[in-house]
Amino acid sequence: MLAWALLAGAAAATLAWGWVALVSGAGAVLDHPLDEPTAEPVGPLAGVTVVVPGRDEADHLPQTLQELLAQDTRRPHRVVFVDDASSDATPEAVAGLAAAFGDRLLPVRNEQEPPRGWVGKCWAIQRGLAAAGLLADGPVEDAAPADPGGSGGDWLLFTDADIHHAPDLVRAAAAHAEARGADVLALVPRLVFGGFGERLVQLQLVVALSVMLPLKKAVDPGRPEALTGGAFILVRRRLYAAAGGHAAVRGEVVEDLKLGQALKAAGGRMAVAVAGERLWCRMYDGWADQWEGLTKNAYPGLDRRPLVAAGLGAATLVCNVGPAAYLPAALALAGSGGGAAAWVAAGVAMLALALQAASADAARRLCGLRWWWALSVPAGSAAYLAILAASAWRCTFGGNLWKGRRYPAPPAAE
């Protein structure tokens, strides 16, 4: 019976990873690099307004904000930085940059806590848009994006305060989107890691996202899926207004993904590209920061659906973690006279591990990690299961915690 149970688990894992490796197109994003920057054409170019929310980011801003302000482009562009009630030296860092760059930087200090129903990042962005004159008249918490008028062809760029941008990135990104007739461009950054725990967990996150949100669905106008992340979302103002802006996702902790879905639902055509060395970040500063950040996102990213979370957890245990246990167990059973079923189970478990590593290889290359990290799926998935369980518990019973704010648990989706 044990041999047959091991064989069933190994077979399930083989089928799942075989589909990922051979059918899903999970690694297709590597085939879509950001175009090399070209000389900008003569004549008027669509402008870019960059909106950057930040809270206690004094360690990053002297470099990251300056990189945005000093972009090499002929496009009219300005940066709106929203200091979301920082308690560190963020105001001083921003003041120094404002003195150096003048009108190109609009600093906004937000000391108003998010109104009921708003999460902090969305509220900070809303306040920044209001200060920049990009919202319609009325109370800020209820204001929709202003009608851009004319062609509405100017761009809004949403990025985070800890993201690093190459000098030619805005030029390259806008040209990439315009060449494809896209209304939205999401760029995939290169991740930089500080330690073993960051590599182990974040690689599995990249693998999971590539499976759950494959590029071919994200760029299909007929599909609702999006592949947008907080590192870089470039969107036409007219589409952003049509989708309702960040007010439409005001209560979403994973607002970047939900914004992408709203933009597609409003008729936006999406492009996705890998930025390579031109866009990079370290997502979390050590294990504790990573734990807080991922427990913030894991369960809300599943729309707080307990059955979906339970199903995903079970599938992860059987297909991701299981093969690393099935193989030694089957070999031990076969060596002690477990019969042909045990030997078959061992062989199928080896095939599952090989397909698993092949599927993880694209994510491993995207993250710039050594070859053997493709073998880390079982250990990384086990760690992520703990994060998912903690996220579900926190969001259900304690409220979600991020950047010093705790958000009450809303009702679970039906």
Side-chain angles (χ1 to χ4, degrees):
M1 290 296 294
L2 178 57
W4 286 105
L6 292 171
L7 178 57
T14 298
L15 288 173
W17 286 106
W19 177 84
V20 172
L22 304 174
V23 179
S24 72
V29 69
L30 286 172
D31 299 325
H32 294 262
L34 179 65
D35 292 340
E36 290 297 323
T38 57
E40 289 169 320
V42 176
L45 295 171
V48 181
T49 298
V50 186
V51 183
V52 188
R55 182 176 172 91
D56 295 336
E57 298 284 3
D59 291 342
H60 297 109
L61 291 174
Q63 185 173 355
T64 58
L65 195 53
Q66 179 163 306
E67 289 168 356
L68 283 169
L69 290 163
Q71 284 292 303
D72 174 22
T73 178
R74 288 198 305 105
R75 295 175 183 273
H77 93 282
R78 61 172 174 166
V79 178
V80 180
F81 177 77
V82 189
D83 175 3
D84 189 17
S86 296
S87 58
D88 64 355
T90 290
E92 291 79 7
V94 176
L97 290 167
F101 286 92
D103 293 343
R104 183 167 288 187
L105 174 61
L106 173 61
V108 180
R109 172 75 177 182
N110 172 46
E111 295 185 345
Q112 295 184 13
E113 284 298 297
R116 183 176 180 83
W118 285 82
V119 296
K121 182 178 178 180
C122 290
W123 177 239
I125 290 173
Q126 186 80 346
R127 292 272 292 165
L129 292 172
L134 298 177
L135 295 182
D137 294 336
V140 175
E141 59 267 30
D142 299 321
D147 182 351
S151 66
D154 282 354
W155 295 99
L156 288 171
L157 168 57
F158 298 99
T159 186
D160 289 337
D162 58 351
I163 307 296
H164 292 267
H165 305 75
D168 58 13
L169 184 65
V170 167
R171 174 160 57 95
H176 186 102
E178 290 167 354
R180 286 157 179 77
D183 305 298
V184 188
L185 173 65
L187 291 187
V188 179
R190 178 173 65 88
L191 297 182
V192 175
F193 307 100
F196 178 85
E198 293 176 40
R199 290 174 172 84
L200 182 68
V201 173
Q202 290 175 45
L203 176 60
Q204 314 318 313
L205 183 63
V206 174
V207 172
L209 288 174
S210 68
V211 173
M212 297 171 66
L213 302 169
L215 180 140
K216 65 181 182 181
K217 292 183 179 179
V219 299
D220 183 349
R223 302 283 308 192
E225 293 88 349
L227 188 57
T228 43
F232 194 101
I233 303 174
L234 184 69
V235 56
R236 294 279 191 186
R237 278 191 61 195
R238 61 171 177 264
L239 176 64
Y240 184 75
H246 276 79
V249 295
R250 67 184 68 188
E252 299 288 352
V253 175
V254 284
E255 89 300 326
D256 46 5
L257 182 60
K258 299 298 184 180
L259 178 64
Q261 293 171 355
L263 294 171
K264 285 193 75 175
R269 181 177 177 183
M270 179 171 291
V272 181
V274 175
E277 300 297 321
R278 298 208 288 276
L279 184 73
W280 64 272
C281 69
R282 182 179 175 187
M283 287 181 64
Y284 301 109
D285 187 13
W287 179 262
D289 189 43
Q290 177 175 261
W291 179 269
E292 182 176 330
L294 292 182
T295 53
K296 168 183 75 78
N297 288 337
Y299 191 54
L302 300 174
D303 291 328
R304 301 181 179 87
R305 296 176 183 267
L307 293 180
V308 172
L312 178 63
T316 301
L317 189 62
V318 171
C319 298
N320 292 21
V321 181
Y326 304 149
L327 179 58
L331 288 173
L333 188 61
S336 61
W343 286 109
V344 173
V348 175
M350 290 182 65
L351 179 58
L353 287 169
L355 289 169
Q356 188 183 83
S359 301
D361 190 62
R364 186 273 307 172
R365 286 185 285 134
L366 184 63
C367 293
L369 297 175
R370 301 289 294 274
W371 67 266
W372 57 268
W373 279 99
L375 306 175
S376 69
V377 172
S381 297
Y384 195 78
L385 280 176
I387 289 170
L388 177 60
S391 178
W393 179 270
R394 173 185 287 182
C395 291
T396 302
F397 298 107
N400 216 340
L401 178 67
W402 182 241
K403 293 284 187 178
R405 292 188 177 109
R406 187 175 294 277
Y407 301 101
E414 297 180 359

